[in-house]
Amino acid sequence: MADAISNAYGGIQEWIFTNAVGPVLYRFDLIAFAEDAYDGIDWFLFGCIQIFLIAFVLRAWERFSPAEVQESFSKQSRVDVIYTLFHRLGIFHGLIFIALSGLFFEIDSVLHDFRFDRLNVESWWPGVSSIPLVSFLIYLIVLDAFDYLYHRASHSFNWWWQLHALHHSQTVMTAWSDNRNHILDDIMRASFMSLVALFIGVPPGQFVLLVAISQFIQSWQHANLKIDLGTARYLLVSPMFHRMHHAVGYGHEAQGKPGVLGGCNFGVLFPWWDMMLKTAVFPDKAYPTGVRNLRVSPNILTQQWQGLVHAVRELLPK
């Protein structure tokens, strides 16, 4: 079965490259990027799978076990769908690759010149950490630890929060809400996580799969779901745990102190970092989501402009 799925996936990837991507590269004399473009089709295919699961599995699940009653699919939520399509279909990651590939190549060359030995987990415990599944899980945990630090930092600086606040502005959480972000915040996060992956030696093929799995779990975490994981809530960030991170007055602003930077439940995949660093709050009910005194436009371009203006204002001398 696994071989059949793998062969079918490879056949689809080959067909897309042969009939769509390859001719475009040839037409514009970009055939030198053929190998990278072929690998880039992975982003598109994994994105298609995620979008299918969000639309037909997670959205259906939300109807059976909602955290809150949602009467209709709001205009704000329709905007979230556009954000998701942009991110999951490889458009965003393709642009990041084009913009930063030269920089990453230079960094890789510098590391090589200094004889920096990447922290390849395959060599940590020969015969064990070299097992693909084991190394994959280790990479997932290490990347998640850095993602926790990045996420917490975005709540710790006023200018950064002005960008990240767009993600928290949604008052109607759905499975589409994860990619509701400011483009600058996304670029910084993608660059940071890519550099971390470069330093610890994550293979490119594994990195695509790591990101795809992480993205889908985060879509599930943002879904309007009331789920009791029992003791498993200490192993994986659940929709209720992450909803607390988005809760008005709890997730960002300290209770009773509007505007104070703070928050809880910063973990992206695993709650362990919150538990160790005393930022975990396991809720017993679903709270309303959003940010006090924050109103954003339903227009994507206006949302991006507003976030940029507010961030710049925070950076200017008072």
Side-chain angles (χ1 to χ4, degrees):
M1 176 64 75
D3 288 339
I5 294 175
S6 178
N7 291 335
Y9 179 91
I12 294 173
Q13 186 177 24
E14 181 69 32
W15 187 91
I16 292 175
F17 181 82
T18 302
N19 295 278
V21 178
V24 172
L25 295 177
Y26 182 80
R27 173 66 178 81
F28 293 96
D29 196 24
L30 297 173
I31 203 65
F33 294 96
E35 184 177 351
D36 294 321
Y38 188 85
D39 293 337
I41 297 174
D42 279 328
W43 292 108
F44 174 76
L45 291 177
F46 279 124
C48 289
I49 294 171
Q50 291 180 69
I51 289 169
F52 175 84
L53 293 175
I54 292 170
F56 295 101
V57 177
L58 295 185
R59 289 293 290 161
W61 194 351
E62 287 178 325
R63 296 185 183 93
F64 287 102
S65 184
E68 64 176 354
V69 177
Q70 297 176 353
E71 296 181 359
S72 61
F73 200 60
S74 69
K75 189 174 183 179
Q76 288 281 3
S77 294
R78 289 195 290 271
V79 169
D80 291 350
V81 175
I82 297 175
Y83 276 119
T84 302
L85 294 175
F86 175 74
H87 280 269
R88 302 297 172 91
L89 291 180
I91 301 171
F92 173 75
H93 289 285
L95 294 175
I96 287 293
F97 173 78
I98 293 172
L100 300 177
S101 59
L103 174 61
F104 288 152
F105 180 78
E106 290 297 326
I107 293 175
D108 197 28
S109 298
V110 171
L111 293 177
H112 184 269
D113 291 341
F114 279 91
R115 297 183 179 180
F116 175 80
D117 188 15
R118 295 186 188 181
L119 306 178
N120 293 309
V121 303
E122 287 86 351
S123 61
W124 290 2
W125 187 355
V128 177
S129 62
S130 57
I131 299 173
L133 179 59
V134 174
S135 64
F136 182 86
L137 292 175
I138 295 175
Y139 283 133
L140 193 67
I141 293 170
V142 172
L143 288 172
D144 190 63
F146 281 97
D147 218 357
Y148 169 90
L149 296 175
Y150 180 93
H151 189 187
R152 190 166 180 180
S154 69
H155 285 255
S156 302
F157 301 91
N158 272 303
W159 68 269
W160 201 340
W161 166 249
Q162 299 306 319
L163 300 176
H164 188 59
L166 173 60
H167 180 69
H168 282 257
S169 66
Q170 182 57 275
T171 59
V172 185
M173 297 280 287
T174 74
W176 297 107
S177 299
D178 176 44
N179 290 122
R180 180 190 183 87
N181 300 311
H182 196 281
I183 188 67
L184 288 182
D185 195 13
D186 272 334
I187 290 173
M188 290 190 297
R189 180 172 179 263
S191 302
F192 174 73
M193 296 306 293
S194 296
L195 284 172
V196 171
L198 178 68
F199 275 96
I200 65 176
V202 181
Q206 272 200 354
F207 185 63
V208 176
L209 185 58
L210 284 164
V211 171
I213 291 177
S214 176
Q215 284 179 330
F216 182 70
I217 293 175
Q218 289 174 68
S219 292
W220 172 71
Q221 292 165 349
H222 286 82
N224 180 37
L225 293 172
K226 188 173 184 178
I227 303 173
D228 183 5
L229 295 182
T231 55
R233 65 179 180 168
Y234 302 117
L235 300 178
L236 183 67
V237 170
S238 70
M240 289 291 287
F241 185 86
H242 190 69
R243 185 183 181 88
M244 193 68 185
H245 175 71
H246 284 260
V248 178
Y250 292 88
H252 172 70
E253 300 162 319
Q255 191 174 12
K257 301 179 181 179
V260 175
L261 291 168
C264 62
N265 299 6
F266 300 100
V268 179
L269 296 182
F270 309 116
W272 313 330
W273 325 118
D274 285 296
M275 294 163 66
M276 287 189 293
L277 297 172
K278 310 297 183 182
T279 55
V281 176
F282 292 93
D284 56 358
K285 64 178 182 179
Y287 291 88
T289 61
V291 181
R292 288 195 184 107
N293 303 318
L294 176 65
R295 296 292 182 271
V296 298
S297 168
N299 181 276
I300 288 179
L301 294 180
T302 304
Q303 289 176 357
Q304 297 296 310
W305 176 250
Q306 287 174 334
L308 179 62
V309 170
H310 293 159
V312 170
R313 285 175 179 171
E314 289 295 332
L315 288 171
L316 294 175
K318 304 299 183 183

